[in-house]
């Protein structure tokens, strides 16, 4: 009798999981499709586009959940009271109609479900996937940050002007404006590279997790720091090229790099540099650790 009872419990748990999954699909499929459409066609607010890294992060999060499904099933059922609170908060967020709150309701409800069914161990198991979902949910954070980007804008404008002057172009820099060839190019707040920086940090976290390097504080710190440097440098080069194209009347090239798929291609090439960088850092610190162990022995 024990085996049929166990099968019955298993079937009930599976049916409940499928029911919850179905409800989540019904609630969030329209929202996720709205996000995807905005990211692909850039027909939504600039702030929304800052979270386009979700196109790779959300599928990766789902893949991690699938990989850990057996571990999830082996965890004992454990209801944590915080799960009910998060589910309630997520429900209020969803029903509020406020765009940012509705978006944040997804990671909130998912975290609540983890705590409700498996407690803290379940939340810990799905922690990184939840982090990816949270960081991909469009919010007003870029809008709140842009007023404080003036120093970065001025630095990019000054550096781009310096580089072009070295190539013989007569460029005058005035705060965030560059004057070249009788034309003006402004390094606007949304040209300060925040989107590229957000994407770089997001992809860097994915690479660190995938290579099991997050456990090393030294590797994580150095990799994120160098990734930020690469992102800022790449944005300076991009703004320099945009200034050159606009100043020399090459409007086709300017629009290709600024508004068309050229900018996406440029960002993708920059992100590819993160892979050999992380491999190099891992190799270096592995050698250092081996040397330290040999010195202790």
């Amino acid at each position: 009798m024990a085996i049929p009872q166990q099968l019955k419990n298993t079937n009930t748990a599976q049916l409940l999981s499928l029911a919850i999954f179905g409800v989540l699909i019904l609630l969030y499929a329209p929202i996720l499709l709205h996000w995807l459409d905005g990211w692909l066609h850039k027909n939504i607010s600039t702030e929304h586009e800052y979270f386009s890294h979700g196109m790779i992060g959300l599928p990766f999060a789902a893949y991690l959940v699938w990989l850990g499904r057996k571990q999830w099933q082996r965890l004992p059922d454990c209801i944590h009271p915080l799960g009910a609170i998060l589910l309630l908060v997520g429900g209020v967020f969803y029903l509020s109609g406020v765009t940012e709150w509705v978006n944040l309701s997804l990671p909130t409800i998912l975290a609540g479900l983890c705590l409700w069914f498996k407690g803290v161990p379940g939340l810990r198991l799905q922690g990184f996937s939840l982090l990816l979902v949270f960081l991909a949910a469009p919010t007003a954070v870029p809008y709140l940050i842009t007023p404080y980007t003036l120093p970065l804008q001025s630095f990019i404008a000054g550096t781009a002007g310096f580089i072009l002057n070295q190539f013989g172009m007569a460029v005058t820099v005035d705060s965030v404006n560059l004057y070249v060839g009788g034309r003006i190019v402004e390094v606007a707040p949304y040209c300060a590279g925040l989107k590229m920086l957000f994407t770089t940090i997001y992809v860097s976290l994915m690479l660190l997790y995938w290579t099991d390097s997050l456990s090393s504080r030294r590797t994580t710190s150095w990799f994120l720091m160098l990734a930020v440097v690469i992102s800022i440098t790449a944005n300076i080069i991009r703004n320099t090229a945009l200034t050159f194209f606009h100043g020399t009347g090459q409007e086709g090239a300017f629009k290709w790099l600024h508004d068309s798929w050229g900018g996406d291609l440029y960002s993708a090439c920059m992100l590819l540099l993160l892979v050999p960088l992380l491999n190099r850092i891992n190799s270096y610190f592995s050698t250092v650790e081996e040397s330290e162990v040999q010195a202790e022995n």
Side-chain angles (χ1 to χ4, degrees):
M1 295 296 292
I3 294 179
Q5 183 64 34
Q6 183 178 2
L7 290 174
K8 182 178 179 180
N9 293 337
T10 301
N11 290 335
T12 302
Q14 290 177 345
L15 288 174
L16 180 60
S17 299
L18 288 174
I20 293 173
F21 181 73
V23 171
L24 289 175
I25 290 295
L26 289 174
L27 291 176
Y28 287 102
I31 295 175
L32 293 174
L33 290 175
H34 175 66
W35 292 359
L36 180 61
D37 181 68
W39 292 334
L40 284 175
H41 301 105
K42 300 180 180 180
N43 55 4
I44 205 165
S45 67
T46 304
E47 290 82 10
H48 183 103
E49 291 183 29
Y50 273 59
F51 297 88
S52 59
H53 48 251
M55 286 191 289
I56 57 175
L58 294 179
F60 184 65
Y63 176 67
L64 293 180
V65 172
W66 175 256
L67 287 181
R69 66 190 185 282
K70 293 183 179 179
Q71 289 179 266
W72 174 267
Q73 293 170 356
R74 286 195 293 266
L75 290 175
D77 294 338
C78 176
I79 297 178
H80 195 287
L82 181 59
I85 297 175
L86 288 178
L87 289 173
L88 178 61
V89 171
V92 172
F93 279 4
Y94 187 88
L95 296 174
S96 68
V98 180
T99 303
E100 286 78 14
W101 288 13
V102 173
N103 294 342
L104 288 175
S105 69
L106 177 58
T108 304
I109 288 179
L110 291 177
L113 289 172
C114 290
L115 287 169
W116 181 258
F117 285 107
K118 300 295 182 178
V120 175
L123 182 65
R124 188 180 297 114
L125 176 64
Q126 308 295 351
F128 190 75
S129 297
L130 291 171
L131 176 64
L132 293 179
V133 175
F134 173 73
L135 294 178
T139 63
V141 170
Y143 175 78
L144 297 174
I145 293 178
T146 48
Y148 304 99
T149 61
L150 183 59
L152 181 59
Q153 294 169 246
S154 300
F155 174 73
I156 292 172
T159 306
F162 174 79
I163 293 173
L164 291 174
N165 280 323
Q166 303 312 303
F167 285 92
M169 293 189 69
V171 180
T172 302
V173 180
D174 180 16
S175 183
V176 299
N177 299 313
L178 297 100
Y179 298 89
V180 54
R183 299 174 177 231
I184 180 174
V185 178
E186 178 189 7
V187 181
Y190 293 116
C191 296
L194 288 181
K195 179 182 177 182
M196 186 180 292
L197 186 60
F198 282 10
T199 303
T200 300
I201 295 175
Y202 192 84
V203 173
S204 297
L205 290 173
M206 291 172 58
L207 289 174
L208 286 167
Y209 183 87
W210 185 252
T211 58
D212 198 25
S213 301
L214 274 175
S215 56
S216 172
R217 183 178 300 178
R218 183 162 51 179
T219 299
T220 300
S221 300
W222 275 99
F223 180 59
L224 289 177
M225 181 179 66
L226 291 176
V228 169
V229 171
I230 289 176
S231 177
I232 294 175
T233 303
N235 191 57
I236 290 174
I237 295 173
R238 179 174 178 270
N239 276 278
T240 302
L242 288 172
T243 303
F244 173 79
F245 291 148
H246 189 64
T248 55
Q250 301 181 51
E251 295 303 320
F254 178 86
K255 292 181 179 179
W256 175 77
L257 186 59
H258 188 265
D259 300 320
S260 188
W261 59 272
D264 296 330
L265 177 63
Y266 182 81
S267 298
C269 292
M270 186 276 295
L271 292 174
L272 286 176
L273 295 177
L274 299 178
V275 177
L277 173 64
L278 180 56
N279 290 335
R280 180 66 176 173
I281 291 176
N282 278 327
S283 177
Y284 173 77
F285 283 124
S286 295
T287 304
V288 170
E289 289 174 1
E290 290 177 2
S291 301
E292 291 175 349
V293 171
Q294 292 175 359
E296 291 176 358
N297 296 333

